[in-house]
Amino acid sequence: MCSIGEDDFGDDGGVHSMEPKLENLNINDASGICQKCNTEPVAVQLGYKEPECKTCFLMYVRHKFRASLGSSKILPKNADVLLIFDGSPSSVTLLDMANFAQTQNTFKRLHCNLKVLVVDDTFLGHQEEEYLKKVLEILGKYDIDTYFTSLASTGPPIPVKEESEEKLRGPWVEEETKLKTMVEKIKTLTLRQDFITNHRKNIIREAALHLNSPFVFLSDISPDLASVFLANISLGRGSSTAHDIALLDERIDNLKLIRPLKDLTGAEVQYYIQFNDLPTVSFRTYGETVGTKMSSIQNLTKSFVENLQEKFPSTVSTVFRTGNKITTKSQLQPARNRCDEVVCRLCRSVIDLEESKTLFAVEFSRMASEFAANGLNDMSSLSEKARQQLQIDNDKQLCHACRNIARNVSSSDVDFESFL
Amino acid sequence: MGGTDLPLVLEFGGGAELLFDNVKKRQVTLDGSKTWKIKELLGWIRDNLLRERPELFLQNDSVRPGILVLVNDADWELLGELEYELQPNDNVLFISTLHGG
């Protein structure tokens, strides 16, 4: 018979044999020596992972970077890669990792020709003083070809050698004023941020083409991408959001935007910076400086994700992994069907709005409000007018979200079209 | 002076310095006649150094989730967190992971 409390077990029955051996489960109560290498003292504990020493931690995060490139086989040998640098902790981490990977022995070396690009947006007035100087100082420590361009640039990027900050910023002063005026004429902060994000990508693409770099490294990490994903959905960019958060964005032929740090968390980046004693610059986005947490969809989404993440540490990865499973319609189509696609002139994603009932309804209701506001009573032609307006919009070759930006430029003196 | 002081180096990074007059690194000297745990240090920081919005740094007697604490370059979770007893010349670093990770 099998029953608890048999004589063999003494007074406490079988209880003593059922207790888990807690001392083996408590990973913090180790000897203080890293269990991976068995030599160095532990320095960091990430989530539910075993505590690691500095060396093992650095190997682990560098492996994440290398594995994202290696397993996807995106990068051919000796590819020309343009790394976008802004001085933020994640971009310093990316630069350092890429640089480190190039100095490895033959077996592990990252074979690519690395160039760095700084996209200057200080003329919008949201970066701290001396931001650019500090960014260039950091880059001076690496022996990598560096180029400089402006968010308002219209020509090829300038190589940064011994050039002074003034000289670098010289060529585009006029364009910068124009762009700044344009941005300020966009009615809401949400749309301003959305425009800047997409315009910045276009500047990066142009610079990469000028520099003959078919590959671009972006330094987005998982918490950034989680909020970008949710914000994109609210902005009406659902159909192209897959490009904005995946490892690879190949919206434009012959140019691949890659996010090799997409699996890193904020804590991993900060530990990497700390353990390597790397300098960083406080990089601010336009929306962070100009508005509060509540003033735009992007800011609000970001603070929502951050808040949730604090209380439920799996939030970011849940959002992010869900987003990862989404693909665009065009990605599923065979390549030969893609030549007749219409592409948005601002965000470069495929426009798939044919006969959208939702958009027609939105347009109809917008027209109805306009009619009412102007005191007009003849509602009969409304649906025809809405259809015509949609056709005009379609002819402009802008996607739904970018159309919203164009429609909300509040002044007729600025030419939105000239920035496309 | 001398044997009764507990000198420490406090560092703030990743945006946490904004709550402390934008000073990233500072030397402080605590009363060494008693033992100091990190728990007590946090109280001392709140009363003496924290300039604005304490809720962005502290939450229920501990630091807010999302702030990493390193003592002499080791994660405080490995040292007993709030119960760690500070030693002279310890370097305590607080990094916020919420701003521009």
Side-chain angles (χ1 to χ4, degrees):
Chain A
M1 283 282 284
C2 191
S3 66
I4 293 172
E6 281 174 314
D7 288 346
D8 308 0
F9 293 109
D11 289 342
D12 62 349
V15 175
H16 66 275
S17 62
M18 294 177 187
E19 294 244 309
K21 289 184 180 171
L22 281 175
E23 65 269 27
N24 289 345
L25 293 176
N26 191 348
I27 51 173
N28 285 347
D29 195 21
S31 54
I33 297 292
C34 171
Q35 293 185 19
K36 273 190 186 166
C37 62
N38 266 328
T39 43
E40 290 186 45
V42 289
V44 50
Q45 162 125 46
L46 292 165
Y48 299 108
K49 273 169 63 75
E50 278 180 10
E52 290 171 304
C53 66
K54 271 187 206 177
T55 320
C56 292
F57 166 77
L58 291 177
M59 212 170 1
Y60 158 74
V61 279
R62 281 177 180 140
H63 177 76
K64 266 194 176 181
F65 160 75
R66 234 14 217 96
S68 70
L69 293 173
S71 62
S72 55
K73 295 185 179 158
I74 310 174
L75 210 59
K77 202 168 178 179
N78 297 329
D80 285 297
V81 175
L82 185 65
L83 189 150
I84 310 304
F85 187 81
D86 58 22
S88 66
S90 53
S91 94
V92 173
T93 305
L94 178 61
L95 176 64
D96 196 76
M97 283 184 175
N99 187 50
F100 180 84
Q102 286 195 311
T103 59
Q104 289 298 285
N105 62 30
T106 337
F107 178 59
K108 281 188 173 172
R109 189 182 299 160
L110 182 66
H111 293 273
C112 67
N113 305 319
L114 199 62
K115 289 173 203 151
V116 175
L117 177 74
V118 178
V119 184
D120 175 32
D121 58 358
T122 48
F123 62 91
L124 291 172
H126 62 288
Q127 301 295 3
E128 61 170 22
E129 269 179 58
E130 302 208 313
Y131 162 78
L132 207 54
K133 194 178 150 210
K134 289 179 188 164
V135 166
L136 295 175
E137 254 174 38
I138 296 178
L139 286 170
K141 292 181 182 157
Y142 294 87
D143 185 22
I144 299 176
D145 287 347
T146 304
Y147 294 84
F148 182 91
T149 190
S150 162
L151 192 62
S153 130
T154 47
I158 312 170
V160 180
K161 283 173 191 141
E162 299 298 314
E163 308 277 10
S164 70
E165 200 183 310
E166 286 71 31
K167 206 166 171 197
L168 288 172
R169 297 185 59 179
W172 297 296
V173 174
E174 213 175 288
E175 282 87 352
E176 286 178 352
T177 323
K178 241 170 87 185
L179 181 64
K180 190 171 183 219
T181 321
M182 214 294 281
V183 168
E184 281 161 4
K185 295 285 181 197
I186 300 177
K187 280 183 203 154
T188 65
L189 184 61
T190 302
L191 296 173
R192 279 184 209 174
Q193 280 174 264
D194 196 25
F195 172 74
I196 292 173
T197 313
N198 285 295
H199 185 62
R200 188 168 188 271
K201 269 196 197 137
N202 285 339
I203 293 290
I204 291 172
R205 287 182 184 122
E206 272 163 39
L209 292 175
H210 275 297
L211 295 170
N212 292 324
S213 293
F215 299 91
V216 174
F217 278 180
L218 302 174
S219 61
D220 302 303
I221 57 172
S222 61
D224 304 337
L225 295 172
S227 46
V228 165
F229 172 59
L230 291 181
N232 267 353
I233 302 244
S234 340
L235 288 169
R237 295 196 178 279
S239 66
S240 62
T241 194
H243 287 300
D244 284 323
I245 58 163
L247 175 69
L248 182 63
D249 173 354
E250 43 182 349
R251 256 175 280 197
I252 289 194
D253 289 339
N254 308 327
L255 185 63
K256 292 182 160 69
L257 306 186
I258 304 171
R259 302 183 179 87
L261 298 190
K262 72 173 181 63
D263 291 319
L264 258 63
T265 65
E268 283 165 347
V269 164
Q270 291 294 354
Y271 279 126
Y272 188 87
I273 296 283
Q274 189 59 32
F275 291 160
N276 285 304
D277 206 9
L278 299 171
T280 62
V281 183
S282 106
F283 170 79
R284 302 177 191 158
T285 62
Y286 182 77
E288 268 169 8
T289 316
V290 175
T292 62
K293 275 184 186 173
M294 310 290 247
S295 31
S296 73
I297 290 181
Q298 292 92 331
N299 289 7
L300 200 59
T301 317
K302 191 162 185 276
S303 88
F304 168 72
V305 172
E306 276 172 6
N307 260 328
L308 261 182
Q309 172 73 11
E310 277 184 16
K311 286 162 196 140
F312 309 97
S314 300
T315 305
V316 162
S317 65
T318 310
V319 173
F320 177 65
R321 303 249 169 254
T322 311
N324 241 349
K325 293 183 179 68
I326 295 176
T327 52
T328 60
K329 217 165 145 191
S330 63
Q331 281 171 328
L332 297 173
Q333 283 170 0
R336 62 177 190 284
N337 287 350
R338 290 177 63 182
C339 50
D340 47 77
E341 284 171 347
V342 185
V343 170
C344 172
R345 285 183 295 153
L346 178 58
C347 69
R348 304 286 192 260
S349 40
V350 175
I351 306 178
D352 54 352
L353 302 177
E354 291 162 36
E355 297 295 313
S356 163
K357 281 183 187 158
T358 321
L359 278 187
F360 176 74
V362 171
E363 193 55 45
F364 186 89
S365 102
R366 207 174 60 84
M367 290 237 155
S369 328
E370 237 168 54
F371 262 53
N374 294 332
L376 298 170
N377 291 323
D378 178 22
M379 294 288 190
S380 54
S381 59
L382 214 53
S383 106
E384 188 48 40
K385 282 214 164 86
R387 199 156 280 135
Q388 277 170 7
Q389 184 60 40
L390 270 187
Q391 192 51 49
I392 296 171
D393 281 345
N394 274 342
D395 293 343
K396 284 184 185 161
Q397 289 186 23
L398 288 173
C399 71
H400 169 60
C402 294
R403 237 175 246 182
N404 268 341
I405 304 177
R407 196 176 281 151
N408 281 285
V409 180
S410 63
S411 159
S412 54
D413 350 318
V414 288
D415 185 13
F416 180 75
E417 292 283 320
S418 68
F419 294 97
L420 298 175
Chain B
M1 285 299 287
T4 58
D5 285 349
L6 179 68
L8 296 173
V9 179
L10 301 182
E11 289 187 70
F12 303 93
E17 72 273 16
L18 297 173
L19 305 172
F20 297 90
D21 292 332
N22 223 344
V23 178
K24 285 199 166 180
K25 187 171 186 170
R26 53 175 99 216
Q27 303 264 355
V28 298
T29 307
L30 304 179
D31 173 13
S33 59
K34 60 169 187 154
T35 56
W36 285 81
K37 290 179 175 170
I38 292 208
K39 191 164 50 181
E40 286 124 22
L41 175 70
L42 290 178
W44 185 87
I45 288 177
R46 183 190 56 221
D47 299 338
N48 294 284
L49 300 178
L50 201 51
R51 286 283 173 262
E52 49 183 311
R53 293 177 291 173
E55 73 280 5
L56 291 185
F57 187 69
L58 296 168
Q59 191 176 48
N60 303 333
D61 295 332
S62 184
V63 290
R64 207 182 139 142
I67 294 185
L68 306 174
V69 184
L70 281 89
V71 181
N72 302 328
D73 262 2
D75 195 339
W76 75 331
E77 289 185 27
L78 302 166
L79 303 168
E81 298 194 20
L82 293 168
E83 297 302 319
Y84 171 75
E85 200 172 288
L86 291 157
Q87 305 299 318
N89 301 316
D90 270 353
N91 180 314
V92 188
L93 166 67
F94 300 90
I95 321 173
S96 167
T97 58
L98 298 179
H99 298 277

